[in-house]
Amino acid sequence: MDPTLLEEIPSLDLADFRSGDPERKQRFVQQLGDAYQSIGFVALRNHGLTEEQTTQLYADVKSFFSLPDEVKQTYENPALAGQRGYIGKGKEHAKGRNTGDLKEFYHVGQEVDDPNDPIKNEYPDNIWPKEVPTFHQTTLTTYKTLEAAGKDVLRAIALYLNLPENYFDDKVRNGNSILRPIHYFPIENPDAVPADAVRAAEHGDINLITLLMGASADGLQVLRRDGKWIPITALPDQIVVNVGDMLQRLTNGVLKSTIHRVVNPPREKMNSSRFSVPFFMHPRSEMSLAALENCVTPDNPKQEADITAGEFLNERLIELGLKKK
């Protein structure tokens, strides 16, 4: 069997990268890069979120999603193409599909504090549910903590690619990142939903990297190179961090944006909820996703046309059914 065909995703410790010890840091860089070349996913501990923060966040997320649908829908603004606030049940579908996923979610975006950064004008204001007054603070705290962890993961990726460690820093400063609390809602009557409806159909993420809380619940699977689906499991103190399509495009396929999905539970468990909270780390819209020169070789010729992150995101939002052409 090919030794790079893993049965589970590797576990890494972000404290190694942040330690100040060159040997620990280099080992982290190598292990991360190797994982992202093979399976595209790692489980990461010491990411900065405390147990207390996580508990409070999930309490607020569950409080919001337990509200009546008509109340939640007051926080939905279709004009924003799903970029802020509530997005209702079945509204999003995977690229290439028409059947909506069995989920509802909420988007919290970047808060730009720098009055001199014109990017502020690109982002709509966040929408805050008054029924859950602490939702504002808990989601923003989570956002900033995961953003900081993501910046360090990108620094490690830069080193692995023989780029300056700070290569991504200015590109993700006030980037168009999104925190997405998701509720995979209970299905009381499985026969009442389309036969091909699943919690999240197979897909690759749009962004540079995704940092996912709540991957430990059953259902999340990643597609290995040989076509086998393997379950993704993480310990309660770990998050899962994976490569997105933007990073795959930037690295000309050197780093892998691996297809993954959330499958339905057994029929007798369809009436239970599942929650997860991904942080989709995006760069600023003007970042070029043109293939890095050192990732284009005679053995790996340039695969994709040049495009900016903003243009790429716009294409995908249309493909996912969140934005009209």
Side-chain angles (χ1 to χ4, degrees):
M1 179 176 157
D2 184 340
T4 63
L5 292 177
L6 305 175
E7 287 298 324
E8 58 185 29
I9 64 171
S11 293
L12 300 182
D13 189 342
L14 191 56
D16 288 340
F17 185 79
R18 292 172 164 175
S19 66
D21 178 333
E23 193 173 318
R24 285 177 65 189
K25 184 174 180 178
Q26 180 53 37
R27 185 171 67 243
F28 178 91
V29 167
Q30 191 63 43
Q31 290 174 335
L32 181 75
D34 289 348
Y36 283 170
Q37 278 206 291
S38 59
I39 195 71
F41 278 75
V42 297
L44 192 68
R45 62 184 179 277
N46 288 316
H47 39 73
L49 278 174
T50 67
E51 186 177 351
E52 182 183 14
Q53 286 174 327
T54 302
T55 300
Q56 184 59 55
L57 174 73
Y58 274 103
D60 286 348
V61 167
K62 289 174 182 178
S63 292
F64 175 78
F65 286 119
S66 68
L67 294 170
D69 284 352
E70 57 269 23
V71 175
K72 289 181 287 190
Q73 285 161 359
T74 64
Y75 298 104
E76 187 166 20
N77 182 349
L80 298 181
Q83 292 307 284
R84 297 292 185 273
Y86 176 69
I87 295 86
K89 296 172 180 175
K91 290 285 177 68
E92 184 181 69
H93 57 76
K95 180 183 174 183
R97 285 173 60 97
N98 293 316
T99 303
D101 288 341
L102 301 177
K103 67 188 181 196
E104 57 182 339
F105 51 96
Y106 205 97
H107 273 171
V108 176
Q110 185 71 261
E111 297 266 324
V112 180
D113 299 326
D114 180 359
N116 299 315
D117 191 342
I119 200 88
K120 184 180 178 72
N121 299 322
E122 287 189 23
Y123 303 148
D125 291 337
N126 275 311
I127 298 169
W128 303 115
K130 62 179 185 294
E131 289 82 2
V132 190
T134 51
F135 187 93
H136 181 166
Q137 190 56 53
T138 53
T139 54
L140 280 187
T141 298
T142 304
Y143 187 110
K144 291 301 178 187
T145 304
L146 292 176
E147 185 177 47
K151 285 176 180 176
D152 276 341
V153 171
L154 287 172
R155 288 170 183 140
I157 288 169
L159 291 172
Y160 184 78
L161 295 170
N162 296 312
L163 299 168
E165 183 173 341
N166 65 353
Y167 177 82
F168 289 100
D169 285 13
D170 64 331
K171 297 171 179 63
V172 297
R173 186 181 69 84
N174 289 331
N176 194 15
S177 300
I178 291 281
L179 185 78
R180 174 190 277 194
I182 303 174
H183 178 215
Y184 299 100
F185 49 85
I187 304 295
E188 302 299 340
N189 178 11
D191 294 327
V193 299
D196 63 342
V198 293
R199 286 185 157 178
E202 54 192 70
H203 65 282
D205 292 340
I206 300 170
N207 38 286
L208 289 171
I209 56 174
T210 301
L211 298 90
L212 173 67
M213 302 170 64
S216 53
D218 290 345
L220 184 59
Q221 300 177 339
V222 60
L223 183 62
R224 214 168 55 179
R225 274 205 313 274
D226 63 346
K228 180 182 178 182
W229 288 97
I230 61 171
I232 295 181
T233 54
L235 297 171
D237 65 340
Q238 294 176 325
I239 60 174
V240 167
V241 188
N242 63 279
V243 173
D245 291 350
M246 287 185 183
L247 189 57
Q248 175 172 285
R249 193 167 182 133
L250 182 72
T251 63
N252 201 37
V254 171
L255 303 184
K256 304 287 187 262
S257 175
T258 307
I259 298 295
H260 52 286
R261 66 187 183 185
V262 181
V263 296
N264 294 339
R267 189 180 174 92
E268 66 274 12
K269 293 184 178 177
M270 285 283 281
N271 62 352
S272 61
S273 285
R274 182 181 188 271
F275 296 91
S276 68
V277 186
F279 177 74
F280 299 121
M281 192 149 191
H282 284 260
R284 300 167 69 92
S285 58
E286 70 265 20
M287 179 186 177
S288 171
L289 300 179
L292 295 164
E293 286 183 12
N294 62 347
C295 292
V296 179
T297 65
D299 292 335
N300 185 33
K302 186 173 176 178
Q303 298 172 24
E304 303 274 7
D306 296 352
I307 195 171
T308 67
E311 291 165 343
F312 186 69
L313 174 62
N314 192 58
E315 280 184 9
R316 282 301 179 85
L317 290 177
I318 292 169
E319 290 169 345
L320 298 180
L322 292 174
K323 190 171 186 176
K324 299 280 190 284
K325 285 186 180 179

